[in-house]
Amino acid sequence: MSDSASRSPLDVSVVVPLYDEEESVVTLIERTQQALDDAPFRWELILVDDGSADRTVELAREVAARVGDHVRVLVLQRNFGQTAAMQAGLDHARGDVVVTLDGDLQNDPEDIPRMVAKLVDEDLDLVVGWRKNRQDGLWLRLIPSRLANKLIRNVTGVEVHDYGCSLKVYRASLVRHMRLYGEMHRFIPAWAAMATSPRRIDEIEVQHHPRQAGQSKYGISRVSRVLLDLLVVHFFLRYRAMPGHFFGAIGFSVGGLGAVVLGYLAVLKFGFGQDIGSRPLLLVGVLCVIASLQLITTGIVTELVARTWFSSPGVHSYVLRDVEAPRREVELPPDDDAWHAPNTLEDRA
């Protein structure tokens, strides 16, 4: 049988960022194995440890060695954040379809086959999980999340109910066009809309369970970071091809104010002979003109440099730890041995 004939028509990579999840990582792997054991596609599980200080890595490697080569463990040098850990997993995913979910067991791996089927059957590029019956605290999680989702929908124009749900299914071709940094993992539908039509993005209701172990790593303190990242998303969604229009509009507004102030003072000086050297208004006018020039020049340059940097090939927002690891994590076995194949394919082979 030729290689192309023996391959599954669909290979799926499941990416899970982990941070201090020693109490749930073993159950996570076992539940994923159980949920996908009879799935009609080959799959791999990529666990990305984001600088955990507990036994997360040790336990993950023990279970991975026991269940098979289709489970891989990546270890980041330090805690870079959920977005960077997710990007590390996306960079190492080899499947035609990529799935992301959290490692705290609030997302249910049993939803993955249904989401993959929706992606394939409806010819979509991204399927987003919607935690309609979310099992979290009302005041610290649910209400802020609902307000944030509404704000993000209004700013980005992408109609998704639950931007914060990590359970998402992507086509690999779409993943290759996205580079995530900051807190950008929650804006993935918006970033995806820059590479594909919003009509090819849909959502589906998924299960959500109360946290059974460990503590949430994300609280109300992230609000300021999310708002700043939302401004960046808005900029690149609306002004990616014409950044000068964004900064220029603000710069000309401030510069216009400065011009009006200085014009008024010029009339007083040259028309009425009044002394303007000691007036605070003169300083305001000069500062407005200077701020206008800075907005038009420095802002454009810095934003474009940042975007170019993170979009450059070979540039990552994470660093893999350089430590001795099992041979499987350094040199992968032959491709067909590093996937979990459905029973139908095994029997046919």
Side-chain angles (χ1 to χ4, degrees):
M1 182 178 294
S2 65
D3 179 68
S4 60
S6 63
R7 285 177 58 85
S8 165
L10 192 69
D11 291 336
V12 176
S13 297
V14 181
V15 174
V16 185
L18 301 171
Y19 179 58
D20 288 347
E21 299 289 359
E22 65 177 359
E23 298 179 15
S24 61
V25 64
V26 174
T27 306
L28 169 70
I29 299 174
E30 293 174 346
R31 285 180 57 180
T32 303
Q33 183 79 22
Q34 181 180 8
L36 301 182
D37 197 36
D38 294 324
F41 47 74
R42 298 194 314 175
W43 59 275
E44 64 175 351
L45 176 61
I46 303 175
L47 305 172
V48 185
D49 180 75
D50 187 25
S52 296
D54 58 7
R55 300 178 63 238
T56 298
V57 175
E58 178 184 347
L59 294 174
R61 284 176 169 168
E62 288 178 0
V63 180
R66 183 174 72 248
V67 300
D69 291 323
H70 61 285
V71 179
R72 292 191 280 154
V73 181
L74 303 178
V75 183
L76 303 191
Q77 179 70 24
R78 61 172 177 81
N79 178 235
F80 287 89
Q82 184 179 7
T83 301
M86 187 175 294
Q87 183 65 62
L90 296 178
D91 288 343
H92 288 78
R94 300 171 298 157
D96 308 302
V97 171
V98 181
V99 181
T100 59
L101 73 155
D102 281 336
D104 54 14
L105 296 177
Q106 290 191 269
N107 295 141
D108 199 322
E110 291 183 359
D111 289 316
I112 293 177
R114 185 165 54 94
M115 297 180 71
V116 172
K118 181 178 179 66
L119 183 91
V120 175
D121 294 343
E122 300 182 19
D123 193 25
L124 301 171
D125 286 329
L126 172 62
V127 175
V128 182
W130 177 14
R131 300 167 294 181
K132 191 172 184 179
N133 298 313
R134 186 172 175 180
Q135 305 297 311
D136 279 320
L138 178 64
W139 294 104
L140 293 181
R141 301 299 296 273
L142 287 180
I143 292 180
S145 177
R146 289 170 182 169
L147 293 175
N149 284 321
K150 184 176 182 179
L151 175 62
I152 296 172
R153 285 197 301 270
N154 291 336
V155 170
T156 64
V158 181
E159 294 296 327
V160 172
H161 285 89
D162 192 355
Y163 273 82
C165 182
S166 294
L167 183 52
K168 298 180 177 70
V169 178
Y170 324 69
R171 288 194 186 273
S173 57
L174 177 64
V175 170
R176 289 193 290 269
H177 290 285
M178 297 190 304
R179 300 298 302 176
L180 305 177
Y181 54 95
E183 298 283 339
M184 294 300 184
H185 65 276
R186 69 188 71 259
F187 302 114
I188 286 177
W191 287 122
M194 291 191 288
T196 187
S197 170
R199 294 190 299 271
R200 296 178 63 83
I201 300 174
D202 204 352
E203 60 185 353
I204 186 173
E205 292 185 24
V206 297
Q207 304 175 72
H208 191 248
H209 304 290
R211 176 180 274 273
Q212 300 296 324
Q215 297 180 348
S216 174
K217 315 303 186 299
Y218 310 98
I220 199 70
S221 61
R222 65 183 176 176
V223 171
S224 60
R225 299 192 300 271
V226 171
L227 291 176
L228 290 174
D229 283 335
L230 181 58
L231 291 177
V232 176
V233 171
H234 174 71
F235 170 77
F236 283 110
L237 279 175
R238 305 294 173 86
Y239 301 98
R240 178 180 48 158
M242 46 183 183
H245 289 204
F246 175 80
F247 292 100
I250 302 176
F252 282 126
S253 298
V254 175
L257 177 61
V260 170
V261 170
L262 293 179
Y264 168 72
L265 293 177
V267 171
L268 294 181
K269 173 67 175 177
F270 299 107
F272 298 93
Q274 297 183 16
D275 182 19
I276 63 172
S278 59
R279 295 198 178 198
L281 200 57
L282 177 63
L283 180 61
V284 172
V286 172
L287 288 177
C288 284
V289 172
I290 295 175
S292 174
L293 295 175
Q294 289 179 325
L295 284 167
I296 294 173
T297 57
T298 307
I300 296 176
V301 172
T302 54
E303 289 291 341
L304 291 179
V305 167
R307 184 61 179 175
T308 301
W309 170 258
F310 283 106
S311 299
S312 299
V315 175
H316 306 291
S317 53
Y318 62 89
V319 180
L320 286 175
R321 182 182 298 170
D322 185 17
V323 297
E324 183 178 356
R327 180 177 178 80
R328 182 178 66 258
E329 297 175 21
V330 179
E331 297 178 8
L332 288 175
D335 185 63
D336 287 343
D337 295 335
W339 296 87
H340 184 282
N343 293 330
T344 55
L345 285 179
E346 293 173 348
D347 296 339
R348 188 165 64 241

